Amino acid sequence: RTMAPPSKDKFFQGEEGVLAVYDIDYEKAFDFNYDLTKNSSFMVMIHPMCWPALPFVCCFVNSSMFRDNIDDKIRAQHVAITRDGIKYVTDRHKTGCRMDCQDQGKVSKTVPFDKITDCDVEEPAGASGPCCCMVQNTLTTVNVDTASGSRGDGVGGGGHELTLQGLIDPHQFKKDVWSMKRGEGIQGSAVVDPVSASMGMDRSTEPTVEMTKAKSSSFFGGGKSAAPSATSDLAPLMVENNSLLKEQNSILQKILAKK
């Protein structure tokens, strides 16, 4: 088994079935996403039709509201491994002009272990964003795929079932995912068979050896409890059969005597 890393994220505290929680480097993720979003917004303004909105965009991008929206979105993300699979939650957070009517609701997604076909770590390299003002990639990405995954619209983008950016220890997360998929569990938590856990099997309904023996005994008339019942049922039949044989013998003897 692998050792689940200690976590500072208390979002899943007290939630049943959570085996390990994995921290996201929120500061590092904010710096990358802030620069990327800001550069992308300015790049849109190159089109002449967008020039009238340039003053508004400049004011909004440089406002605290813009920074708070990105920061809230980043800090709303939480990742954990549960008995059922990988749980990824984006908590409720502010968007737009930060009015209540513009709040983004909580979204939760669980990827079962038995459905996972791939879990890989992608190290940061190159740059992202508009060609004239690109931002250096600084976040490690974990891509999770499933056999029935919807490529192109998975959570986090990139065409994967689940994409996680900015995990502090992505390699430990990957090890724990494969460990749970193999049924080895995570150190400090109970070992759970991922297939039976995700399918919700109730092992209390499975036949035991004793139940099988009992059924076999009753079916074939074996066992101590079956013997007295079988004897009591056969006795009258044997007596009747003997009387019939005696009667037949008596008739045969009379026929022979007449000859």
Side-chain angles (χ1 to χ4, degrees):
R1 298 194 203 177
T2 59
M3 171 66 88
S7 174
K8 298 179 181 179
D9 189 353
K10 305 303 180 185
F11 178 81
F12 296 102
Q13 191 171 15
E15 185 171 331
E16 185 178 358
V18 175
L19 304 181
V21 180
Y22 300 85
D23 290 326
I24 297 175
D25 192 336
Y26 293 126
E27 288 76 15
K28 193 174 183 179
F30 168 78
D31 292 338
F32 172 76
N33 283 276
Y34 175 76
D35 292 338
L36 181 63
T37 306
K38 181 177 66 175
N39 291 355
S40 300
S41 300
F42 282 134
M43 190 62 184
V44 175
M45 302 284 55
I46 294 179
H47 198 286
M49 294 185 64
C50 299
W51 288 353
L54 182 58
F56 171 77
V57 173
C58 291
C59 292
F60 180 73
V61 168
N62 290 284
S63 67
S64 60
M65 185 184 301
F66 181 78
R67 296 178 62 90
D68 291 343
N69 284 346
I70 296 176
D71 189 55
D72 287 352
K73 183 178 180 179
I74 296 298
R75 294 182 182 276
Q77 300 176 84
H78 308 277
V79 184
I81 283 182
T82 69
R83 297 181 183 275
D84 301 318
I86 302 171
K87 186 169 185 178
Y88 172 76
V89 178
T90 302
D91 202 11
R92 179 173 178 171
H93 59 278
K94 296 290 184 181
T95 64
C97 296
R98 302 184 66 78
M99 293 187 294
D100 292 342
C101 61
Q102 295 177 306
D103 283 1
Q104 179 67 49
K106 178 181 177 180
V107 179
S108 179
K109 179 183 179 69
T110 300
V111 183
F113 295 116
D114 63 317
K115 301 296 183 183
I116 296 174
T117 58
D118 202 2
C119 179
D120 283 327
V121 177
E122 182 180 339
E123 300 292 344
S128 302
C131 57
C132 60
C133 49
M134 303 187 76
V135 179
Q136 192 70 25
N137 291 325
T138 58
L139 301 178
T140 302
T141 303
V142 177
N143 297 315
V144 179
D145 295 317
T146 61
S148 59
S150 52
R151 299 257 174 190
D153 58 352
V155 176
H160 302 279
E161 182 71 26
L162 181 63
T163 298
L164 306 172
Q165 285 189 321
L167 287 179
I168 292 179
D169 196 348
H171 295 283
Q172 182 65 48
F173 174 80
K174 175 183 176 179
K175 290 179 182 178
D176 291 347
V177 169
W178 288 118
S179 180
M180 288 297 295
K181 183 173 174 63
R182 291 191 298 267
E184 298 173 0
I186 302 174
Q187 189 169 347
S189 63
V191 178
V192 180
D193 181 1
V195 177
S196 62
S198 61
M199 294 179 64
M201 293 177 61
D202 183 6
R203 296 192 177 274
S204 62
T205 60
E206 293 184 1
T208 61
V209 176
E210 290 76 8
M211 292 171 61
T212 305
K213 288 182 178 179
K215 289 182 179 179
S216 299
S217 176
S218 62
F219 180 77
F220 291 105
K224 296 181 179 179
S225 60
S229 177
T231 305
S232 60
D233 291 340
L234 290 174
L237 295 176
M238 294 176 66
V239 172
E240 184 179 356
N241 186 50
N242 289 336
S243 62
L244 289 173
L245 289 173
K246 289 180 179 180
E247 185 177 352
Q248 289 178 358
N249 289 334
S250 177
I251 295 172
L252 288 173
Q253 288 177 359
K254 290 178 180 181
I255 294 173
L256 291 173
K258 289 180 179 181
K259 292 181 178 181

